[in-house]
């Protein structure tokens, strides 16, 4: 057994260790948990001391008094004397909300406890889990606090399990996956906010007193507020400073709280949005929260990003996937719904000539889907567009040496569809309430088992003989008026929002199992579901519908704060007529090669010059794509719409430095790379200049000639 988690009877403390961090939980009076320490490894930690305070409620049981309000809590509950944000609030059948769990026992296990019906991180042979079991005898409930240590990546994950041991219902009003109290400091809060077309802009501000609530109530992790959040020293930058980073392995509505209290503690909570997902827990039933993750580093925001990236690469992305990221041609931005077999076969020929690896047939291939107001739900091929059927079409594509990808949006239904005529009651909406449309579509209530069955059967019939190995899975609206569309007799329970998410994962899993070897590219109107849980199934995600290079540079920079480049789908898109020149294609390419490269343009109308330019890009990218897919990310600079970072490819000890700006070109920048080894020689591939490692460490001056540019610094063997 590893010793990454230990319990010391003398100190009554649990010690959770990762490669660089230590987390200590103190068991106070054999009943309550105090958070003692979270930070870099140390042997000296202040003892737990009760801190009296006027107006604080305290426990006076003959021993030293306990003041819950000032105690650093592990998992604070409502009404227990801790007056700050509660992590758990349960209402019993009498309407009473006071919740008070006390310690019962602990267990340390190798590996982890899986989470019912939800994705969670994969283990390795160093993974261990601490399970603290608590009881509330008035509610007749058991609570398990689970802490899983992912040693090499400096990540500790948290989730909780609630068991109702009684016969009476308990209403879950709030149940967070993670609570962390840390001592107050001059901290900043860093978040990823945006909208459709402007996803994941980094926002940083000083943390003020009170609660900051970052949430989504849309049934998705959303374009608007990503579940990632970090707290850092206000002096922290990419290379220095204390940073605590958090994220959530969940794609539904969430509620993350950061609270700066007036009693010298800061509280961070990650969890589901109780207002949307609150539910009744019947007697004998268990409830699992999704998994939340946290990391700490004193080496700045860059190290925090690398911790998350390596965790996602090692423990999140599907194990079978094995780094296969083809260069795709996607049909959407060039043709929208106007696609057919003839055109696609012609396109495929050009794509092959260019070196493209996969043709992704986007929206428009099925039913009467000629615009966005019809067809969703009717997942059979449009025979007018594909007269010889999908199977034959896929054979023809395979013969040309291309792989095939197909777009689907399984969670949706247009009122203008066969499915709606047959099953209007399958729309997600509360009984008796009005239906709300978005992009002319409703959400299918996949919380219903019969809907899930319909989708599996229909997709199986449509795809069973088709040669394809790529799905683009879209989701183009938020969930509103979530409820039960049945008049009383057919209630599932009131946990539809959660069941929806569980079945959405179930359907992803079904695709991966039923069509072995396929990969799924996630998408939700661009990057509206860009979260760790989706990444358990979708090894890459369409970053944004916005492919303007200047905006993309910002969106990609924000995405890289929490998620690795290998999940970031980046396409060179169709420029407007006057811009169809090699310089513009070059600009778009230089931004797109920061992630997984693809193209979305009309290849049939490319002139020779542009064709040659793209052909060159593709053969070049094939030589360098490992930097983005496997490299480690080091952000250097981000100000006034200028972004500089590099990827380090450890196996060949080489670097690719990316630069993007809106300023005048020809900028000289001094770049220092601490990973360069002193006595080795490195060559700048742009001008064949040779440097000693020690010079690169100290800083070399590089010139970037274009609005987007890159320089490879390669170790000489
Ligand atoms: C969304 C996606 C696009 C495209 C369209 C198709 O907007 O983000 O890439 O697939 O849907 O309708």
């Amino acid at each position: 057994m590893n010793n990454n988690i230990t319990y010391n009877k003398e100190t009554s403390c649990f010690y959770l260790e990762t490669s660089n961090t230590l987390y200590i939980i103190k068991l106070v009076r054999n009943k309550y948990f105090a958070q003692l320490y979270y930070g870099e490894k140390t042997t000296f930690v202040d003892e737990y001391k009760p801190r009296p305070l006027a107006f604080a409620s305290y426990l006076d049981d003959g021993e030293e008094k306990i003041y819950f309000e000032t105690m650093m809590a592990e998992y604070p509950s409502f009404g227990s004397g801790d007056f700050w944000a509660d992590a758990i609030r349960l209402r019993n059948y009498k309407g009473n909300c006071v919740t008070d769990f006390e310690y019962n026992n602990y267990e340390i296990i190798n590996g982890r406890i899986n989470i019912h019906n939800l994705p969670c991180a994969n283990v390795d042979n160093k993974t261990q889990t601490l399970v603290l079991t608590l009881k509330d005898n008035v509610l007749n409930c058991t609570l398990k606090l689970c802490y899983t240590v992912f040693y090499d990546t400096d990540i500790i994950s948290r989730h909780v399990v609630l068991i109702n041991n009684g016969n009476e219902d308990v209403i879950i009003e709030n149940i967070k996956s993670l609570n962390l109290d840390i001592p107050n400091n001059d901290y900043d809060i860093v978040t990823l906010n945006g909208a459709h077309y402007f996803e994941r802009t980094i926002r940083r501000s000083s943390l003020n007193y009170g609660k900051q609530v970052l949430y989504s109530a849309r049934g998705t992790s959303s374009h608007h507020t990503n579940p990632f959040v970090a707290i850092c020293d206000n002096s922290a930058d990419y290379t220095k400073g204390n940073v605590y980073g958090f994220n959530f392995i969940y794609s539904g509505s969430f509620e993350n709280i950061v609270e700066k209290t007036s009693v010298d503690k800061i509280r961070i909570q990650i969890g589901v949005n109780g207002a949307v997902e609150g539910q009744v827990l019947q007697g004998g039933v268990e409830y699992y929260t999704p998994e939340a993750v946290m990391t700490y580093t004193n080496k700045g925001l860059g190290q925090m990003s690398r911790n998350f990236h390596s965790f996602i690469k090692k423990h999140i992305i599907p194990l079978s996937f094995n780094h296969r990221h083809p260069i795709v041609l996607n049909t959407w931005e060039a043709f929208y719904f106007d696609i057919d077999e003839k055109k696609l076969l012609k396109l495929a020929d050009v794509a092959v000539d260019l070196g493209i690896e996969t043709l992704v047939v986007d929206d428009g291939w099925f039913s009467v889907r000629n615009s966005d107001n019809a067809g969703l739900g009717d997942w059979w091929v449009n025979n007018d567009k594909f007269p010889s059927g999908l199977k034959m079409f896929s054979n023809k594509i395979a013969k040309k040496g291309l792989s095939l990808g197909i777009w689907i949006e399984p969670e949706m239904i247009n009122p203008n569809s066969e499915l709606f005529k047959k099953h209007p009651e399958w729309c997600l909406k509360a009984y008796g309430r009005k239906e709300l449309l978005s992009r002319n579509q409703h959400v299918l209530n996949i919380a219903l088992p019969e809907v899930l069955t319909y989708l599996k059967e229909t997709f199986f019939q449509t795809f069973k003989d088709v040669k394809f190995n790529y799905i683009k899975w879209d989701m183009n609206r938020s969930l509103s008026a979530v409820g039960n569309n049945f008049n009383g007799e057919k209630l599932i329970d009131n946990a539809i929002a959660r069941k929806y998410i569980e079945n959405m994962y179930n359907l992803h899993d079904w695709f991966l199992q039923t069509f072995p070897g396929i990969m799924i590219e996630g998408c939700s109107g661009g990057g509206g579901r860009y979260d760790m849980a989706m990444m358990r199934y979708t090894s890459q995600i369409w970053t944004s519908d916005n492919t303007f290079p200047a905006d993309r540079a910002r969106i990609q920079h924000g995405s890289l704060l929490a998620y690795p480049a290998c999940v970031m789908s980046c396409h060179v898109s169709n420029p407007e007529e006057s811009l169809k020149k090699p310089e513009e294609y070059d600009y778009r390419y230089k931004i797109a090669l920061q992630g997984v490269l693809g193209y979305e343009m009309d290849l049939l109308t490319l002139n020779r010059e542009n064709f040659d330019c793209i052909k060159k890009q593709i053969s070049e990218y094939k030589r360098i794509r490992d930097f983005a897919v496997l490299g480690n990310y080091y952000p250097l600079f981000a100000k006034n719409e200028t972004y500089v970072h590099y990827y380090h490819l450890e196996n060949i000890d080489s670097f690719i430095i990316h630069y993007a700006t809106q300023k005048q070109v020809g900028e000289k920048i001094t770049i220092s790379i601490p990973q360069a080894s002193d006595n080795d020689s490195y060559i700048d591939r742009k001008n064949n200049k040779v440097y000693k490692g020690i010079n690169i460490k100290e800083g070399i001056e590089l010139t970037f000639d274009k609005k987007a540019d890159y320089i490879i610094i390669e170790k000489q063997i």
Side-chain angles (χ1 to χ4, degrees):
M1 181 147 158
N2 297 306
N3 272 334
N4 303 330
I5 302 178
T6 49
Y7 177 64
N8 182 329
K9 255 192 178 163
E10 268 160 39
T11 57
S12 306
C13 283
F14 295 91
Y15 300 85
L16 287 70
E17 275 182 59
T18 66
S19 165
N20 297 292
T21 69
L22 175 63
Y23 184 89
I24 307 178
I25 304 164
K26 168 97 179 172
L27 181 55
V28 179
R29 207 79 57 78
N30 210 32
K31 275 192 187 155
Y32 311 104
F33 291 110
Q35 150 63 231
L36 215 55
Y37 180 78
Y38 185 34
E40 70 177 304
K41 279 190 179 165
T42 174
T43 46
F44 181 78
V45 173
D46 281 343
E47 246 309 319
Y48 160 76
K49 281 188 212 83
R51 204 181 124 205
L53 188 77
F55 276 81
S57 308
Y58 56 86
L59 180 79
D60 190 0
D61 57 0
E63 295 186 51
E64 199 169 14
K65 297 184 181 76
I66 296 182
Y67 295 82
F68 292 101
E69 184 178 346
T70 51
M71 180 160 149
M72 308 294 271
E74 264 312 303
Y75 198 71
S77 51
F78 178 83
S80 63
D82 177 306
F83 294 103
W84 309 109
D86 53 85
I88 186 161
R89 193 165 66 249
L90 304 175
R91 192 178 289 282
N92 70 5
Y93 68 102
K94 290 186 175 150
N96 202 326
C97 246
V98 174
T99 308
D100 193 7
F101 283 95
E102 290 182 4
Y103 172 70
N104 191 267
N105 61 59
Y106 81 91
E107 202 185 350
I108 296 169
I109 56 171
N110 275 339
R112 66 162 309 139
I113 292 190
N114 283 330
I115 304 179
H116 268 335
N117 298 333
L118 291 181
C120 56
N122 289 317
V123 297
D124 63 15
N125 57 10
K126 292 189 194 154
T127 309
Q128 281 194 297
T129 300
L130 168 67
V131 183
L132 301 174
T133 302
L134 297 80
K135 291 222 149 110
D136 182 326
N137 291 328
V138 175
L139 281 166
N140 210 352
C141 285
T142 301
L143 184 70
K144 289 177 187 285
L145 307 181
C146 307
Y147 301 73
T148 302
V149 166
F150 298 90
Y151 188 86
D152 292 334
T153 56
D154 282 334
I155 297 278
I156 298 177
S157 84
R158 310 264 306 259
H159 76 274
V160 314
V161 185
L162 176 69
I163 305 151
N164 182 353
N165 305 310
N167 298 318
E168 307 291 347
D169 290 352
V170 168
I171 299 171
I172 304 173
E173 301 212 330
N174 184 30
I175 187 161
K176 293 286 187 276
S177 298
L178 176 155
N179 181 90
L180 178 72
D181 285 5
I182 54 173
N184 201 358
N185 204 338
D186 261 343
Y187 284 126
D188 280 358
I189 175 169
V190 185
T191 57
L192 293 173
N193 300 85
H196 174 240
Y197 231 62
F198 296 101
E199 295 89 338
R200 293 174 297 287
T201 301
I202 300 178
R203 303 287 178 200
R204 178 172 175 169
S205 58
S206 61
L207 188 60
N208 214 333
Y209 283 89
K211 259 190 207 173
Q212 180 150 350
V213 184
L214 302 149
Y215 71 98
S216 160
R218 297 169 176 271
T220 63
S221 47
S222 86
H223 302 85
H224 308 76
T225 309
N226 192 270
F228 158 86
V229 57
I231 304 299
C232 64
D233 290 345
N234 67 4
S235 57
D237 58 21
Y238 284 127
T239 53
K240 61 171 196 328
N242 292 298
V243 185
Y244 301 85
F246 306 85
N247 212 332
F248 201 21
I249 308 183
Y250 194 58
S251 317
S253 300
F254 67 90
E255 184 190 65
N256 297 347
I257 292 176
V258 179
E259 184 176 33
K260 179 166 174 164
T261 73
S262 53
V263 296
D264 282 341
K265 64 177 170 185
I266 286 171
R267 174 162 291 174
I268 302 109
Q269 294 180 336
I270 309 291
V272 293
N273 188 336
V276 182
E277 294 208 2
Q279 56 179 277
V280 175
L281 189 66
Q282 290 165 342
V285 178
E286 296 186 355
Y287 174 90
Y288 288 69
T289 71
E291 184 169 28
V293 294
M294 62 184 187
T295 190
Y296 162 82
T297 175
N298 56 10
K299 296 194 181 65
L301 288 157
Q303 187 59 49
M304 175 206 69
S305 300
R306 287 188 293 283
N307 291 353
F308 281 135
H309 294 187
S310 55
F311 175 72
I312 291 170
K313 287 178 184 176
K314 260 190 157 172
H315 298 283
I316 295 289
I317 289 177
L319 286 173
S320 58
F321 173 65
N322 203 16
H323 303 302
R324 183 170 55 82
H325 291 282
I327 301 172
V328 305
L329 171 70
N330 178 299
T331 56
W332 180 247
E333 285 192 31
F335 306 108
Y336 296 115
F337 302 93
D338 187 15
I339 49 172
D340 58 46
E341 170 164 353
K342 230 166 134 191
K343 187 190 263 178
L344 294 177
L345 289 174
K346 273 198 216 149
L347 258 183
D349 285 332
V350 188
V352 170
D353 272 3
L354 286 169
I356 282 170
E357 295 158 330
T358 299
L359 172 71
V360 179
V361 179
D362 209 283
D363 203 349
W365 60 268
F366 55 97
S367 171
V368 289
R369 184 79 172 164
N370 298 315
S371 75
D372 65 13
N373 71 10
L376 292 174
D378 301 342
W379 296 107
W380 44 87
V381 71
N382 177 325
N383 286 318
D384 294 337
K385 292 181 178 177
F386 294 84
S388 49
L390 263 194
K391 178 183 169 191
M392 284 301 283
F393 170 70
S394 72
N395 288 340
K396 290 178 195 167
I397 292 291
K399 260 206 185 127
K400 293 179 191 290
L402 270 185
S403 302
L404 180 64
I406 303 176
W407 179 96
I408 57 175
E409 196 181 355
E411 300 158 69
M412 298 294 152
I413 177 168
N414 283 117
N416 187 0
S417 67
E418 296 296 314
L419 186 62
F420 188 83
K421 272 186 222 138
K422 241 171 133 181
H423 288 293
E425 78 286 5
W426 281 5
C427 286
L428 186 64
K429 71 160 193 149
Y431 181 76
R433 300 288 169 194
K434 61 180 173 297
E435 296 172 3
L436 296 173
L437 281 164
S438 181
R439 206 199 190 204
N440 304 311
Q441 64 199 51
H442 293 302
V443 180
L444 253 188
N445 187 356
I446 58 170
L448 296 171
E450 58 269 37
V451 175
L452 209 56
T453 306
Y454 164 81
L455 288 171
K456 288 178 183 173
E457 281 171 1
T458 312
F459 280 117
F460 186 72
Q461 282 313 317
T462 301
F463 290 150
K464 67 176 190 294
D465 300 319
V466 178
K467 255 194 205 129
F468 73 124
N469 63 5
Y470 190 108
I471 291 267
K472 178 177 171 190
W473 184 305
D474 214 335
M475 201 272 187
N476 278 314
R477 61 161 295 177
S478 307
L479 275 54
S480 45
V482 178
N484 216 309
N485 197 2
F486 296 99
N487 186 9
E489 74 280 5
K490 203 175 175 185
L491 282 174
I492 311 174
D493 58 13
N494 69 343
I496 288 182
R498 166 67 174 264
K499 195 73 203 153
Y500 178 96
I501 295 289
E502 290 181 0
N503 283 355
M504 184 270 287
Y505 295 136
N506 174 304
L507 199 54
H508 275 82
D509 206 41
W510 177 85
F511 266 95
L512 293 172
Q513 307 298 330
T514 309
F515 305 103
I518 62 160
M519 64 170 282
I520 307 177
E521 178 188 32
C523 177
S524 173
R529 229 169 28 183
Y530 205 93
D531 61 67
M532 280 193 185
M534 291 317 301
M535 289 170 197
R536 282 294 281 115
Y537 308 94
T538 63
S539 29
Q540 68 191 63
I541 301 185
W542 181 224
T543 313
S544 176
D545 278 345
N546 187 339
T547 49
F548 290 106
D551 292 332
R552 259 306 177 114
R554 186 183 56 252
I555 294 168
Q556 292 177 191
H557 173 72
S559 305
L560 286 166
L561 185 67
Y563 306 98
C566 66
V567 297
M568 194 162 79
S569 287
C570 302
H571 294 179
V572 179
S573 68
N574 238 5
E576 60 191 82
E577 214 43 49
S578 62
L579 289 174
K580 288 189 170 153
K581 296 188 182 123
E583 302 85 81
E584 181 64 21
Y585 287 110
D586 182 66
Y587 180 24
R588 291 173 184 228
Y589 164 68
K590 296 265 172 66
I591 298 288
L593 62 75
Q594 295 180 2
V596 180
L597 179 70
Y599 289 79
E600 282 200 36
M601 58 174 61
D602 183 357
L603 301 181
L604 301 175
T605 55
L606 279 180
N607 64 25
R608 189 77 236 173
E609 201 187 12
N610 292 334
F611 178 93
D612 290 344
C613 160
I614 289 171
K615 190 165 178 149
K616 216 170 121 210
Q617 295 175 353
I618 291 172
S619 79
E620 180 185 88
Y621 183 74
K622 285 181 180 168
R623 291 197 305 274
I624 61 172
R625 71 173 136 191
D626 276 1
F627 280 105
V629 173
L630 303 171
N632 291 329
Y633 168 68
Y634 291 84
L636 293 174
F637 182 83
K639 233 184 202 162
N640 305 331
E641 301 286 293
T642 299
Y643 305 99
V644 190
H645 68 246
Y646 65 88
Y647 298 135
H648 177 210
L649 208 46
E650 273 176 4
N651 58 342
I652 55 164
D653 194 10
S654 297
F655 311 89
I656 188 167
I657 303 159
H658 293 284
Y659 172 86
T661 192
Q662 289 306 295
K663 292 194 298 193
Q664 285 299 338
V665 296
E667 198 176 359
K668 284 190 184 356
I669 302 198
T670 304
I671 304 257
S672 59
I673 299 184
Q675 295 81 17
S677 31
D678 290 5
N679 298 320
D680 286 324
S681 301
Y682 294 81
I683 182 162
D684 175 341
R685 278 290 167 216
K686 202 168 172 196
N687 54 19
N688 289 330
K689 213 167 155 178
V690 175
Y691 299 98
K692 274 264 159 271
I694 182 92
N695 304 124
I696 300 181
K697 261 187 177 168
E698 282 163 0
I700 50 174
E701 197 172 68
L702 299 175
T703 309
F704 295 91
D705 304 321
K706 303 191 176 146
K707 276 198 291 186
D709 207 355
Y710 74 87
I711 292 175
I712 293 177
I713 306 277
E714 215 169 67
K715 183 166 163 178
Q716 282 191 311
I717 307 160

